[in-house]
Amino acid sequence: MATVSREHDYLGSAASRLGSEAAFTVFGRARELQAQGRDIIHFEIGEPDFDTPEHIKAAGIAAIQANFTHYAPNPGLTEFREMIADFATRFRGLRIPFRTENVVVSPGAKQIIWNLMAALLDPGDEVVYAEPAYPTYAAAAEYLHAVPVPVPLREARKFSIDLDELTAKVTPRTKLLIINSPSNPTGGVFTREDFALIADLAEKFPRFVVMTDEIYSRNIYGERFVSFAEFEHLRDRTIVVDGFSKAYAMTGWRLGYCLAPPAIARVATLMANNTYACVSTFVQKAGMAALAGPDTPVEMNETFRHRRDVLVAGLNELPGVSCLVPDGAFYAFPNISQITMDDQRLGSFLLEEAGVGLLGGSCFGDAGAGYLRISYASSIDTLKEALRRMRDALPKYRA
Ligand code: PLP
């Protein structure tokens, strides 16, 4: 114990403000149980279970063999940035094209979110975002002494934002508004009308920048994906964050990017210069192959849609559980409030008792209390087995 406190003395005060993404903590415990010989189903971690497509792997291997193993420019290889700008413009159906100067490549979307927030926020600045939310938004804001201002998402509105509640939270101190559609953890999708009202707010409060985290833009089951970037008159205040992890099953490659107004992109480049320097050159080459090759996200989506339907139907048959059909991402967010509001305790119980790893909704902020997050990137057989185990275990849970 003495060692711990001495070690603790060495830490800067900012270390005490560092949050953590619960998915990785639960994943760690699930792996421990597995090492003890338990049969564990992993629904806790948000990654496609597909392997990276062969043509992308082959391009990465070929790039290593061709010695693309040296430093790359801080914002990314120019030809890769050109391809990203072109893809992002076409995919979103934009009139004003993104240009190379807008693109900064990063080792995952997470890193660029953090770096952008570090570049934009002063202490006391308010960061508005819908909650339950991807935990990095609040973690970065708190680390930077900015003020997280969550706006609760309501199940009754299919987990889209209540614009009156949002309007009430935006003030002249708001510096950043973060949108994440399709959303982690709810799978909810914002409509064009939602975005139009956010765009109106942005015009009323000219100080804030909109960061639209579109990492699940390829995981959409309803109509065409709508991007906030379509509100092109706000281009000088809009940052799009996207990446390869979820779309191309490339989580471990660490490859993401932002599309930002040039002034912000230049600071993101400087942040890259001072932190990760550049993304591995051969990883960028693999990313180029992903954008140039067959559109694998579309094929993966069909599989995800089928799994979603099986899982959600099964969840709705469990006593005390109800679940909306999510329109995007690969998460189900069932309501378990009839069983308990202590979702994290129920989550641990299901892991320890039934060997099903999943997350309590409150890992994504207070607004997630009374829900579970289930990543359904697993085979149909595994989903059915997990549902069977939950059906057996839930009656044994004592609140
Ligand atoms: N944004 C959201 C909403 C996410 O859920 C994730 C990953 O789970 C990320 C960003 C980061 O993705 P990556 O760093 O793998 O590109």
Side-chain angles (χ1 to χ4, degrees):
M1 281 297 138
T3 326
V4 172
S5 68
R6 219 181 22 253
E7 270 176 12
H8 187 74
D9 287 344
Y10 296 134
L11 298 175
S13 57
S16 67
R17 298 195 303 278
L18 266 179
S20 78
E21 197 181 334
F24 287 100
T25 317
V26 176
F27 184 57
R29 176 65 188 148
R31 292 295 278 262
E32 249 170 50
L33 291 173
Q34 226 164 2
Q36 291 164 18
R38 293 278 307 275
D39 175 23
I40 302 295
I41 295 177
H42 292 278
F43 285 165
E44 70 278 18
I45 203 94
E47 68 171 344
D49 57 326
F50 304 106
D51 290 326
T52 304
E54 289 305 322
H55 67 285
I56 301 177
K57 288 194 284 193
I61 293 165
I64 293 177
Q65 281 168 340
N67 296 312
F68 286 97
T69 52
H70 299 271
Y71 286 129
N74 298 139
L77 296 170
T78 306
E79 59 275 32
F80 186 33
R81 292 164 68 215
E82 276 166 9
M83 283 179 86
I84 291 171
D86 179 53
F87 166 77
T89 306
R90 271 188 294 109
F91 173 64
R92 291 171 178 78
L94 303 177
R95 251 181 333 102
I96 307 172
F98 283 118
R99 303 195 185 285
T100 314
E101 62 178 0
N102 299 119
V103 180
V104 181
V105 177
S106 62
K110 190 177 218 172
Q111 179 78 59
I112 203 103
I113 292 170
W114 189 286
N115 284 9
L116 285 163
M117 290 178 73
L120 291 169
L121 296 171
D122 279 323
D125 281 344
E126 294 182 356
V127 181
V128 175
Y129 56 92
E131 190 190 87
Y134 181 52
T136 295
Y137 312 144
E142 272 160 18
Y143 188 82
L144 296 162
H145 274 306
V147 184
V149 181
V151 183
L153 291 173
R154 310 265 176 221
E155 187 180 0
R157 305 187 81 255
K158 282 194 87 186
F159 294 116
S160 77
I161 206 155
D162 180 321
L163 288 148
D164 292 333
E165 287 187 81
L166 174 68
T167 307
K169 296 271 172 95
V170 171
T171 74
R173 288 184 305 279
T174 307
K175 184 65 187 298
L176 182 63
L177 191 148
I178 306 178
I179 298 167
N180 172 218
S181 173
S183 143
N184 174 12
T186 66
V189 173
F190 283 29
T191 62
R192 176 180 292 282
E193 291 69 38
D194 294 334
F195 284 157
L197 283 155
I198 293 172
D200 286 349
L201 260 185
E203 292 202 72
K204 213 160 122 207
F205 292 92
R207 184 168 175 258
F208 73 73
V209 169
V210 178
M211 182 162 80
T212 167
D213 179 348
E214 303 187 351
I215 192 84
Y216 297 101
S217 54
R218 305 305 309 272
N219 306 106
I220 193 111
Y221 309 108
E223 287 168 19
R224 186 182 85 78
F225 169 70
V226 179
S227 167
F228 188 78
E230 290 174 32
F231 292 80
E232 301 192 51
H233 62 292
L234 291 170
R235 184 67 69 80
D236 62 340
R237 288 162 61 198
T238 303
I239 306 172
V240 177
V241 171
D242 205 340
F244 291 74
S245 287
K246 321 287 178 177
Y248 298 94
M250 290 180 73
T251 45
W253 295 74
R254 311 308 302 127
L255 188 58
Y257 55 87
C258 74
L259 301 140
I264 296 179
R266 278 195 293 278
V267 184
T269 301
L270 202 53
M271 295 293 292
N273 177 299
N274 282 287
T275 54
Y276 56 86
C278 65
V279 170
S280 308
T281 314
F282 52 86
V283 169
Q284 298 191 52
K285 286 283 184 185
M288 289 170 67
L291 291 181
D295 207 10
T296 42
V298 175
E299 290 155 33
M300 291 185 202
N301 252 15
E302 280 316 302
T303 310
F304 277 138
R305 183 201 303 270
H306 180 42
R307 292 168 175 183
R308 173 198 70 169
D309 293 344
V310 169
L311 176 69
V312 171
L315 286 169
N316 280 316
E317 281 171 12
L318 298 178
V321 179
S322 64
C323 188
L324 290 182
V325 179
D327 287 331
F330 36 76
Y331 307 114
F333 203 62
N335 184 326
I336 43 93
S337 59
Q338 281 183 38
I339 302 172
T340 176
M341 286 305 281
D342 194 347
D343 48 85
Q344 295 197 38
R345 188 158 166 264
L346 182 62
S348 319
F349 170 80
L350 288 170
L351 175 60
E352 305 291 333
E353 171 75 23
V356 179
L358 36 71
L359 299 182
S362 60
C363 298
F364 301 87
D366 293 345
Y371 295 86
L372 296 173
R373 189 198 77 167
I374 300 181
S375 168
Y376 54 81
S378 291
S379 70
I380 297 288
D381 284 350
T382 308
L383 293 171
K384 286 185 174 162
E385 170 61 11
L387 286 164
R388 189 194 62 70
R389 290 188 194 184
M390 288 170 75
R391 193 175 312 116
D392 289 349
L394 283 173
K396 297 184 208 152
Y397 179 76
R398 295 283 162 263

